[in-house]
């Protein structure tokens, strides 16, 4: 198994262990085993279809991230003894996801503009005479800023490319701000991944519920 | 927000639709990833595989409502195939009726009203 797939599988397992930790043993074990099965089936079906391991890992990661709000709400309602038929309907999930979208896009766009401006400043402005590496740092920050903005811009149409652009931008920023490495890559990918995929699926969840007379 | 009894959310309708499609192909039972694939392939609304959280929450709701039933597969099969055991779901009679009722309601709601003829 590739490192990317192992990491995606590990993240899915860790997240499931986290949000099910306080649930009754039977419910907890069922959800954990179902997710383990799903991830295994996903990996093997996609690899058998000829998909690249990294693309499969990104897909698994995005499925985890996109479902986080639903997972947490399901956990809360199960703890309160309401089970999956909770009155916390899809509308609450949509509201939480919209907040995630807004926060993710706003933070990423802000960082993009900041690094673009800061890169220009230290590369060609006030910091330009403070050392021979400053112009290089400036260019790197400008490229990183552009990648973040490009990721936000193309997110709704090309989610995979957007996540890749933002990930490369985050790595580029870490060249000039090494201490950010441990934070910016997972956080940016997670937030923007959730944001762009929720945008794509928002219309699906907002569709009018159909009446099923036979169930009432 | 409290959900109106007897309603199906779009994701639930998609799952039942995909499950009944699989049944017509001779697959009476399905597992989580299998239904996610079928929903992605057949639903007009779906764009990609449904997220874990949304999928399993919806499956749970359908099972609680009696529209699906589930069981763990025979563990020896999973051992032989060297994979984790699958939770297998099947649409119940109530699930099939609910699906057809919901579809009929959706069709009726989307049928345009016949234009009224004006007396000449």
């Amino acid at each position: 198994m590739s490192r990317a797939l192992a990491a995606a599988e590990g993240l899915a397992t860790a997240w499931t262990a986290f949000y099910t930790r306080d649930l009754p043993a039977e419910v907890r074990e069922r959800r954990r085993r179902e997710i383990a099965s799903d991830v295994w089936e996903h990996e093997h079906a996609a690899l058998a279809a000829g998909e690249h391991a990294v693309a499969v890992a990104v897909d698994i990661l995005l499925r985890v991230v996109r479902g986080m709000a639903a997972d947490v709400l399901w956990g809360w309602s199960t703890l309160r003894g309401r089970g999956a038929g909770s009155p916390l309907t899809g509308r609450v999930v949509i509201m939480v996801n919209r907040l995630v979208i807004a926060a993710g896009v706003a933070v990423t766009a802000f960082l993009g503009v900041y690094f673009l401006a800061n890169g220009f400043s230290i590369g060609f402005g006030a910091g330009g005479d403070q050392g021979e590496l400053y112009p290089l740092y400036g260019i790197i920050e400008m490229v990183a800023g552009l990648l973040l903005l490009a990721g936000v811009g193309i997110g709704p149409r090309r989610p995979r490319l957007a996540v890749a652009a933002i990930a490369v931008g985050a790595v580029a920023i870490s060249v000039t701000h090494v201490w950010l490495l441990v934070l910016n890559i997972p956080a940016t990918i997670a937030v923007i991944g959730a944001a762009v995929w929720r945008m794509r699926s928002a219309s699906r969840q907002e569709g009018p519920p159909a009446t099923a007379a036979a169930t009432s | 927000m409290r959900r109106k009894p007897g309603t199906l959310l779009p994701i639930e309708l998609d799952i039942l639709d995909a499950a009944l499609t699989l049944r017509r192909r001779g697959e009476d039972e399905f597992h989580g990833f299998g239904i996610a694939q079928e929903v992605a392939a057949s639903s007009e609304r779906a764009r990609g595989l449904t997220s874990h959280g949304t999928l399993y929450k919806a499956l749970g709701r359908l099972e609680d409502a009696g529209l699906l039933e589930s069981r763990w597969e025979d563990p020896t099969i999973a051992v032989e195939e060297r994979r984790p055991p699958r939770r297998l779901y099947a649409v119940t009679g109530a699930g099939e009726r609910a699906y057809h009722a919901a579809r009929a309601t959706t069709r009726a709601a989307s049928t345009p009203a016949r234009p009224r003829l004006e007396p000449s």
Side-chain angles (χ1 to χ4, degrees):
Chain A
M1 183 189 292
S2 77
R3 285 182 186 174
L5 277 175
E9 189 179 318
L11 193 134
T13 305
W15 169 247
T16 310
F18 173 73
Y19 74 80
T20 58
R21 69 194 185 285
D22 294 327
L23 300 179
E26 191 183 343
V27 179
R28 182 174 66 229
E29 287 310 306
R30 174 174 167 176
R31 175 59 69 99
R32 291 179 182 182
R33 289 173 71 191
E34 277 201 284
I35 296 297
S37 169
D38 187 305
V39 171
W40 191 94
E41 302 282 352
H42 189 159
E43 281 176 16
H44 285 74
L47 292 176
E51 288 191 38
H52 193 279
V54 174
V56 180
V58 170
D59 277 346
I60 291 171
L61 191 63
L62 288 175
R63 286 185 74 203
V64 173
V65 172
R66 284 157 45 212
M68 281 179 167
D71 286 331
V72 170
L73 291 172
W74 171 79
W76 290 349
S77 60
T78 305
L79 267 180
R80 285 199 300 267
R82 291 171 176 167
S86 160
L88 291 168
T89 63
R91 287 190 178 84
V92 178
V93 176
I94 289 168
M95 207 165 68
V96 172
N97 284 327
R98 279 182 176 163
L99 287 174
V100 172
I101 291 168
V105 171
V107 168
T108 309
F110 170 78
L111 290 175
V113 172
Y114 170 79
F115 283 114
L116 191 59
N118 197 50
F120 184 82
S121 172
I122 64 173
F124 306 103
D129 57 350
Q130 293 183 17
E132 56 187 34
L133 281 178
Y134 262 68
L136 180 61
Y137 287 162
I139 290 168
I140 290 172
E141 284 205 5
M142 287 174 67
V143 170
L146 285 171
L147 284 168
L148 294 182
L149 291 173
V152 170
I154 64 174
R157 283 167 284 128
R158 305 284 302 276
R160 279 189 190 177
L161 193 60
V163 171
I166 290 162
V168 174
V171 171
I173 290 166
S174 301
V175 173
T176 55
H177 302 274
V178 178
W179 60 273
L180 276 172
L181 189 64
V182 294
L183 292 176
N184 63 4
I185 295 176
T188 310
I189 293 173
V191 170
I192 297 304
V196 296
W197 278 90
R198 293 319 305 180
M199 282 179 197
R200 286 169 66 91
S201 60
S203 58
R204 173 185 179 184
Q205 294 200 9
E206 285 171 343
T211 304
T215 63
S216 55
Chain B
M1 190 172 294
R2 197 162 291 279
R3 192 172 150 191
K4 191 178 171 185
T7 60
L8 291 176
L9 293 175
I11 179 65
E12 296 165 348
L13 207 53
D14 285 345
I15 288 172
L16 289 175
D17 187 31
L20 291 170
T21 302
L22 289 173
R23 180 187 281 180
R24 283 193 290 276
R25 285 191 219 141
E27 297 175 44
D28 287 340
E29 292 182 303
F30 59 88
H31 55 85
F33 179 70
I35 205 69
Q37 274 188 311
E38 188 59 34
V39 167
S42 62
S43 171
E44 293 173 1
R45 287 184 291 264
R47 294 176 180 174
L49 293 166
T50 309
S51 70
H52 294 152
T54 305
L55 175 66
Y56 290 98
K57 195 177 177 191
L59 287 171
R61 280 196 304 266
L62 290 168
E63 191 173 359
D64 286 349
L67 309 186
L68 293 179
E69 57 191 7
S70 74
R71 65 177 178 92
W72 286 110
E73 73 173 346
D74 182 348
T76 57
I77 297 173
V79 171
E80 281 172 10
E81 296 183 3
R82 295 181 179 182
R83 58 170 171 73
R86 294 168 173 169
R87 182 83 184 179
L88 299 174
Y89 293 84
V91 182
T92 62
E96 195 166 355
R97 287 192 296 277
Y99 169 78
H100 290 302
R103 274 280 176 251
T105 306
T106 307
R107 272 195 297 271
S110 61
T111 303
R114 189 178 293 177
R116 187 184 297 173
L117 292 173
E118 296 293 338
S120 55

